[in-house]
């Protein structure tokens, strides 16, 4: 049996976010370097810079996928037949959707560097989650994949 994937997206960290954490790690390493001679002078660079790269890559490892009759976002998955209305939330309405209009019981996969959101209602009476809110760069494609 082959997997049928209708939508797949990785919420990677965009290139313009990388310089600030790398600069902060470099400055922290330089601060330690200034105080110690010998091995301790280069060790912070060897540890902090690669660790920062690993953390940035890990932040961007979240996947959103519609495959095999399921919606998968982050670590969670739900069958498509338990989903209801799909609503695309524009970037200018994101603050309201993630603030005063957000239900505390909602499942949220939000990445600040990805502006558009999709809200999917859950029609499972046994599930206390009223809806899912998912960041996506291609909201129309995700909504179409969930509806089909």
């Amino acid at each position: 049996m082959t997997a049928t994937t209708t939508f797949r997206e990785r919420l990677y960290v965009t290139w313009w976010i990388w310089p600030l954490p790398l600069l902060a790690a470099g400055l922290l390493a330089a601060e330690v370097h200034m105080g110690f001679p010998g091995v301790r002078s280069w060790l912070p660079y060897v540890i902090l810079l690669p660790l920062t790269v690993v953390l940035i890559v890990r932040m961007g490892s979240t996947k959103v996928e519609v495959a095999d009759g399921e919606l998968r976002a982050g670590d969670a998955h739900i069958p498509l037949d338990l989903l209801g209305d799909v609503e695309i939330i524009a970037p200018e309405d994101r603050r309201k959707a993630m603030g005063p209009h957000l239900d505390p019981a909602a499942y949220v996969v939000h990445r600040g560097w990805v502006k558009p959101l999709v809200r999917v209602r859950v029609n499972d009476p046994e599930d206390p989650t009223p809806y899912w809110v998912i960041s996506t760069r291609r909201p129309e494609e995700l909504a179409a994949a969930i509806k089909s």
Side-chain angles (χ1 to χ4, degrees), residues 62-65 71-77 107 109 132 134:
T62 304
K63 292 179 186 164
V64 177
E65 182 178 46
L71 169 62
R72 297 183 188 107
D75 295 332
H77 59 90
Y107 177 72
V109 176
W132 286 22
I134 304 167

Side-chain angles (χ1 to χ4, degrees), residues 87-101:
E87 177 186 357
I88 296 173
I89 299 170
E92 57 271 6
D93 298 328
R94 181 173 65 130
R95 179 168 284 188
K96 287 181 187 172
M98 292 302 295
H101 297 162

Side-chain angles (χ1 to χ4, degrees), residues 48-141:
L48 289 175
L49 292 174
L51 180 64
T52 303
V53 169
V54 167
L55 289 174
I56 293 171
V57 169
R58 177 78 175 117
M59 283 175 27
S61 67
T62 304
K63 292 179 186 164
V64 177
E65 182 178 46
V66 177
D68 296 329
E70 283 189 331
L71 169 62
R72 297 183 188 107
D75 295 332
H77 59 90
I78 187 168
L80 293 176
D81 57 349
L82 295 178
L83 298 178
D85 296 336
V86 180
E87 177 186 357
I88 296 173
I89 299 170
E92 57 271 6
D93 298 328
R94 181 173 65 130
R95 179 168 284 188
K96 287 181 187 172
M98 292 302 295
H101 297 162
L102 181 67
D103 188 323
Y107 177 72
V108 178
V109 176
H110 178 257
R111 298 297 177 259
W113 53 88
V114 179
K115 302 296 183 199
L117 296 171
V118 171
R119 183 181 315 165
V120 184
R121 297 274 173 208
V122 176
N123 290 336
D124 185 3
E126 296 178 15
D127 191 348
T129 306
Y131 56 84
W132 286 22
V133 177
I134 304 167
S135 290
T136 178
R137 289 185 176 91
R138 303 181 336 242
E140 292 84 10
E141 291 179 37

